[in-house]
Amino acid sequence: MDIGNGPEGSATGGIAADRLRSIIERVERLEEERKALGSDIRDIFAEAKSAGFDVKVVKQIIKLRKQEPAEVEEQETLLDIYRRALGM
């Protein structure tokens, strides 16, 4: 599988080194961005907590907002049925 010496850069052992380096560096940059975003999200949850919001509930709301309304309704119906079955 020799890629050759085309626009992808010099090939070593069948690997286009410039292309490989580019792919690795792009993934590394995205991982750094993800790390920064995770830190930003933690900061926002800390802000919510300091404002008196229950972070666990806020996370549940975020999860629900990602779902389809029919899916949420079905889960809530089942939750209600299960609660009643347990006398809650």
Side-chain angles (χ1 to χ4, degrees):
M1 175 179 121
D2 188 19
I3 295 176
N5 291 326
E8 301 299 326
S10 62
T12 304
I15 297 175
D18 291 344
R19 177 68 181 202
L20 177 60
R21 184 176 299 107
S22 171
I23 289 169
I24 290 171
E25 289 172 353
R26 286 169 38 212
V27 170
E28 289 172 341
R29 276 192 303 275
L30 289 172
E31 286 176 346
E32 284 299 316
E33 288 178 30
R34 178 174 31 189
K35 185 177 173 183
L37 288 172
S39 177
D40 291 346
I41 290 170
R42 283 189 298 278
D43 290 346
I44 293 170
F45 283 128
E47 177 185 337
K49 185 176 182 176
S50 70
F53 294 106
D54 184 321
V55 172
K56 188 174 180 180
V57 175
V58 171
K59 288 180 180 184
Q60 288 175 331
I61 294 294
I62 292 169
K63 182 179 174 185
L64 288 172
R65 288 172 52 108
K66 291 178 185 178
Q67 297 176 343
E68 293 294 323
E71 188 179 350
V72 173
E73 184 178 338
E74 180 182 344
Q75 288 178 359
E76 288 176 351
T77 300
L78 283 172
L79 183 60
D80 185 50
I81 291 168
Y82 291 0
R83 283 181 176 153
R84 281 189 275 139
L86 295 172
M88 298 174 70

